[in-house]
Amino acid sequence: MKNHLLIISLISSLLGFSQNPNRTFESINYDNNVLEVKVHDGVYKIIPYSERIVETTFIPNGETFNENSHAVVLKPETVESGLLKTDTSFELKTPGISITVQKQPFQISYSYKGKPIISEKMGYVKNDSLETIQFNITKDEILYGGGARALGMNRRGHRLQLYNRAHYGYETHSELMNYTMPIMMSSNQYMVHFDNAPIGFLDLDSKKENTLTYETIFGRKTYQVIVGDSWTDLIDNYTDLTGKQPLPPRWALGNFSSRFGYHSQKEVEATVQKFRDEQIPLDAVIIDIFWFGKDIKGHMGNLEFLKDSFPNPTQMIKDLKSDHVNTILVTEPFVLTTSKRWQEVVDKDVMAKDSVGNPYTFDFYFGNTGLIDIYNPKGKTWFWDIYKGLADMGVTGVWGDLGEPEVHPSKLIHATGTADEVHNIYGHDWAGLIAEGYKTDFPNQRPFILMRAGYSGSQRFGMIPWSGDVNRTWGGLQSQPEIALQMGMQGLGYMHSDLGGFAGDNKDAELYARWLQYGVFQPIYRPHAQEEVPAEPVFWDSKTKALAKKSIELRYRLLPYNYNLSFQNHTKGTPLMRPLFFEDDSEALKTDASEYFWGDDFLIAPILKSQITEKEIYFPKNSNWFDFYTNEMFEGGKSVTVKVAEDHIPTFVRGGAFIPMAKPMQSTKEYDGHIFELHFFYDATVKESEGQLYNDDGLTADAYDKGHYELMAFSSKVSAKEIEIEIKAELGSDFQTQTKSIELVLHNISLKPKSVKISRKKLDFTFNKDQKIITIPLEWNTSKELKLNIKLN
C-alpha cells in the first residue's frame, strides 16, 4: 500500500493540476474489463485494450454512446488487472498502463510501469461552439503529430485546425494541408489519439499553459492513450489499434512516369517508349484528367476514356502491361453538372443532398458540381462499379485526387450526417471503399491506392499518401523530410512527395536532380508536375537526365532492401523513413529532420539547398557509419563536415549491416528474388549483427498470411581472426524451397583473407585491395542453413 500511495503522490506532484473543479465523483464499478466512473454530469467508460493501450470515453448525461470508430479495428483483450482503493482514489492497475481516478478534486491520470504519462486537466467541457477535452502536459515535452504540416518537427505552441484542405504551392511553412490527424505524440514516447471524425482543432499548448486540448464541433468524446518501450514499439501498438498497412504490389516501389497531364494515348505510348529507348527503368504510368476530357474544366465525372484522344484504351493498357508498365488513372469524387454522367447520378441517387433532398450543387475550379455520397450505399456501389470496370480493362492502380474533399460546403448533407461531420474521413472512407471492392471482386490482387487526403487509420486500406501540390522550389523540397517523417510516425509510412516539385514553371536542373536523389530514399518514386516543365527525366538535358538515370537505377538496385522495409511496415507498422531520435536521444535530434534513417541501416542526409559543396553530418551514436560510395568510416556520436558530390546525396551504412541488392533491371517485373547481392559492411567493433530479407511474388494479396513467402535471415559473428556469416530461411507453408545465387560482398576488408570456407570446403573468392572488398559467389538451397568462415589472419 505504501508503494501505491507513493505512485499516486508522484503522479499528483508531476501532473497534479486538478480537473474540472465542478465535476463531482459519485461511484465507480469495474466489471468485464470495463471501468465505469459515474460523475454528476455523466459517465466515464475506460477500457484497457492491452497493457499499452487504454481507451477513455466520456458520455455526458442525456447522450448515447456512439460505438462507431473510423479508426479503431483492434478488439480489447482481457488484461491482467485489479482495482486498488484508497480513501482518496482508485487505481485500475495493469502490468503496463495504470489509470488513477482521484475523487476530490476529481481527476483521471495515466501512468506506465509506475511512471506518470499524462492527466486530464479540465477533461471534457462543452462551450458555446465547441466540445473540448483538456490535458496537463509537462513543460519540457516536445510534441509531434497533427498530420501533414510544414511547421518544424516540434509542433508545440500551435493550435492546429483539423480540416483537410489543399495548400497549392506551399514551401517551407504550411499550417494546414491535406492530411490532418487527431494525434499528439510526445517526446516521452506516448501518444494520444482522439477517436472522432468531425472537424475541429488540436491545440498543442498554444497558450503556453502546459496544456493539450482537443476541440471539435460534435461527436465522440473518446481518446486512446498509447505507450511503447521504444518509438518503433509505440508505432507498432498504434497500428495494432488502427490497422496495419497491407503490402503494396512490388512494382509500386519502382519508377513512375507522371505529369499533369498526358493528353492522348499517343502521348502516353511515346513517353513510355522514350523511357525504354533511354534505358531508364519504369514500372507505371499515371494518366491525369485528360483521359476523360480534352480540357481541364467541364468534364470531371465523365470517368470514361475520351475516344478522340484515347481511341483504343484497352489495347493501350494491354500493350503497356506487356512492356511491364502498369496503368494508373486519376479519379475524383466530383461529378460536374456538365459531365456525361450527371443525369445518370441524379437518376441513381448517387449524390450528396441539400436540405430538401435534391443533389447539392456548387461551383469550384473545375465547374459546377455535385459530390458523390460514398456514405449512401447507392453512391458507394455506383462508384465501385466504375473502378471494377476499369480494373477489368486492365487498370492496376487507383489515384484518388481532390479527396479532402477540395470543396465541401458545410450545408451539404451526406447519408450519415453533415459535411463537417465526415469531411476529414471522406478520403479515408473513399480509400476504404476501393480496398473493400478489391477484397470482394479481386481478392488475390493487391490494390495500389494513391490518395491526396486521409485520416487516422487510413493505412489499413493500403493508402499511399502524398504531400500535395508542393512548389517546385528549394523551399518546397526543404519541407518534405519533415512531412514524411511525421506521417510515418502517425501510421502512414508511405507519405512521399511529387519528386521535382509540382506547382509553378520553375526549371531548375540542380533542384530537379537533388529532389530525385532524395527520392531514392523516400517511400514512392514518383516524379510529377504541371507540364510547363517536364516531370519525366527523359525530357531533360543530357546531364540532368544522366543524373536522374543514376538515381533511378540505384532505386532499382535497392529493391530487395526496400521491399523488406515494406514487410517491416506491414508486420510492425515501422515507417520506412525514421527520425534519428528513434535511436539517438541527443536533445538536438528531437527536433531535427535534416537527416533520417532509411530503414534500419541507411543514414540519409538530403541536399536541400543550392550549390552545396560540403555538409556537416551528424553520425548517430552507438554505431560506426560507412560512406556507401567510398567505404570511408565515420565514428558515431560525432559531427563531421563531408564533401558533397554532384551525382548523389550523402548516404551512409551502419557498421555490421547486411544490405541486399538486386542486379540492374528495367522494371520490377525482371526482378528475380533468387538472384541477388548481399553486401556486408564489416566493422571489427560490431561483434554480432543481423539482417533479413523478405520475398514473395510481389502481387498476391495477403501473401504473408497465406504462407506464400520466404524470410531469409543473415547473421554475423566477428572476432580478431575470423568473420562467421550464417544464412538461413523461414519458408511459408505455401512456398517452395529454391536455390539462390548470391554474390556475397564484404566491405572494409583491408587484407586478403587466408581462406573462405563452408564446412571445411574452400570457396573461390576475389579480393580488391584498393576498394577493400571481398566478393564470394554462393549457391544456397534454402532448405539448409549456410555457414561461412572467413579467416582474416
Side-chain angles (χ1 to χ4, degrees), residues 264-266 268-269 285 287 290-292 303-322 325-329 389-396:
S264 67
Q265 178 175 338
K266 182 178 179 181
V268 169
E269 292 171 339
V285 61
I287 307 178
F290 300 114
W291 72 274
F292 55 70
L303 295 175
E304 65 181 21
F305 278 97
L306 181 66
K307 293 295 185 181
D308 288 350
S309 305
F310 293 84
N312 195 341
T314 301
Q315 189 63 46
M316 177 191 74
I317 293 166
K318 182 179 179 181
D319 290 345
L320 290 171
K321 192 70 174 177
S322 68
V325 176
N326 292 272
T327 301
I328 301 161
L329 299 179
L390 294 171
D392 287 337
M393 189 183 289
V395 172
T396 50

Side-chain angles (χ1 to χ4, degrees), residues 351-522:
M351 309 308 285
K353 304 291 196 304
D354 61 19
S355 59
V356 295
N358 296 317
Y360 191 107
T361 59
F362 51 95
D363 293 326
F364 81 139
Y365 176 79
F366 297 94
N368 186 257
T369 193
L371 179 66
I372 298 169
D373 190 358
I374 60 173
Y375 300 97
N376 178 346
K378 295 177 183 178
K380 183 176 181 180
T381 298
W382 180 89
F383 214 3
W384 171 246
D385 284 345
I386 298 289
Y387 290 118
K388 184 177 184 302
L390 294 171
D392 287 337
M393 189 183 289
V395 172
T396 50
V398 172
W399 173 11
D401 201 9
L402 314 183
E404 294 78 25
E406 183 163 292
V407 180
H408 203 188
S410 295
K411 292 182 179 180
L412 178 148
I413 300 171
H414 291 276
T416 58
T418 67
D420 287 348
E421 289 175 52
V422 300
H423 175 82
N424 284 336
I425 56 169
Y426 188 96
H428 169 90
D429 289 324
W430 182 14
L433 177 161
I434 297 166
E436 181 183 315
Y438 268 88
K439 282 187 179 295
T440 301
D441 292 323
F442 307 99
N444 293 318
Q445 184 175 336
R446 301 181 194 176
F448 177 83
I449 305 173
L450 180 69
M451 284 277 171
R452 201 175 77 171
Y455 213 48
S456 51
S458 291
Q459 72 278 350
R460 69 175 179 269
F461 302 130
M463 182 186 284
I464 305 291
W466 91 94
S467 59
D469 296 342
V470 59
N471 216 19
R472 196 168 0 201
T473 58
W474 289 99
L477 173 58
Q478 287 160 18
S479 61
Q480 297 312 306
E482 173 201 342
I483 293 168
L485 291 169
Q486 288 268 359
M487 288 291 280
M489 291 169 65
Q490 297 170 70
L492 283 158
Y494 288 87
M495 172 55 81
H496 66 286
S497 61
D498 290 339
L499 295 180
F502 175 81
D505 59 1
N506 177 35
K507 189 171 185 179
D508 184 330
E510 184 193 7
L511 170 66
Y512 181 78
R514 289 302 192 196
W515 210 318
L516 267 62
Q517 289 165 3
Y518 159 72
V520 175
F521 304 100
Q522 72 160 19

Side-chain angles (χ1 to χ4, degrees), residues 73-249:
V73 293
L74 185 68
K75 301 299 181 186
E77 61 184 53
T78 301
V79 180
E80 178 188 344
S81 59
L83 186 63
L84 307 178
K85 179 182 178 181
T86 71
D87 292 339
T88 59
S89 67
F90 297 86
E91 182 186 14
L92 179 60
K93 190 172 182 63
T94 81
I97 288 184
S98 295
I99 304 97
T100 299
V101 179
Q102 181 177 286
K103 291 192 287 188
Q104 186 62 38
F106 182 82
Q107 185 178 51
I108 294 177
S109 55
Y110 303 87
S111 62
Y112 179 56
K113 296 181 179 179
K115 180 180 178 180
I117 305 169
I118 196 169
S119 65
E120 289 195 358
K121 189 171 188 177
M122 292 298 289
Y124 169 75
V125 175
K126 185 174 183 178
N127 58 37
D128 291 340
S129 60
L130 295 168
E131 300 182 59
T132 69
I133 308 174
Q134 194 177 79
F135 299 82
N136 299 298
I137 54 176
T138 58
K139 63 181 181 179
D140 56 350
E141 289 177 75
I142 293 166
L143 304 184
Y144 313 100
R149 322 263 178 170
L151 296 171
M153 286 296 283
N154 185 5
R155 295 174 174 182
R156 187 165 185 160
H158 293 274
R159 183 173 182 251
L160 304 176
Q161 187 177 2
L162 298 174
Y163 188 90
N164 291 354
R165 177 175 290 159
H167 182 172
Y168 177 82
Y170 72 91
E171 295 188 349
T172 58
H173 184 86
S174 182
E175 295 275 349
L176 189 62
M177 293 175 64
N178 313 70
Y179 285 81
T180 64
M181 309 272 273
I183 292 170
M184 183 281 285
M185 303 185 79
S186 165
S187 55
N188 291 341
Q189 283 184 14
Y190 73 89
M191 65 190 297
V192 182
H193 170 245
F194 296 96
D195 192 0
N196 189 43
I199 64 174
F201 296 88
L202 183 66
D203 191 326
L204 303 179
D205 195 30
S206 66
K207 296 180 181 178
K208 303 187 186 311
E209 297 173 342
N210 299 326
T211 304
L212 164 70
T213 309
Y214 171 71
E215 307 168 71
T216 184
I217 60 167
F218 176 76
R220 289 157 51 92
K221 275 65 77 173
T222 298
Y223 63 88
Q224 293 93 25
V225 176
I226 304 129
V227 298
D229 293 322
S230 66
W231 283 104
T232 52
D233 183 45
L234 175 61
I235 297 168
D236 190 12
N237 296 331
Y238 168 70
T239 51
D240 276 345
L241 180 72
T242 59
K244 291 290 196 284
Q245 178 112 15
L247 273 170

Side-chain angles (χ1 to χ4, degrees), residues 694 702-710 731-736:
Y694 173 83
D702 305 316
Y704 182 63
D705 294 335
K706 293 173 180 175
H708 191 72
Y709 72 93
E710 59 182 348
L731 299 183
S733 59
D734 189 32
F735 203 91
Q736 298 299 311

Side-chain angles (χ1 to χ4, degrees), residues 250 254 276 279-283 552-560 661-672 675:
R250 186 156 47 211
R276 294 300 184 226
Q279 295 188 306
I280 297 178
L282 182 67
D283 263 270
I552 294 166
E553 288 173 341
L554 176 58
R555 174 74 177 192
Y556 277 79
R557 293 288 310 282
L558 290 172
L559 180 61
M661 295 180 68
K663 299 296 184 180
M665 68 191 90
Q666 287 298 299
S667 83
T668 60
K669 185 72 173 178
E670 298 174 12
Y671 174 67
D672 186 342
I675 303 171

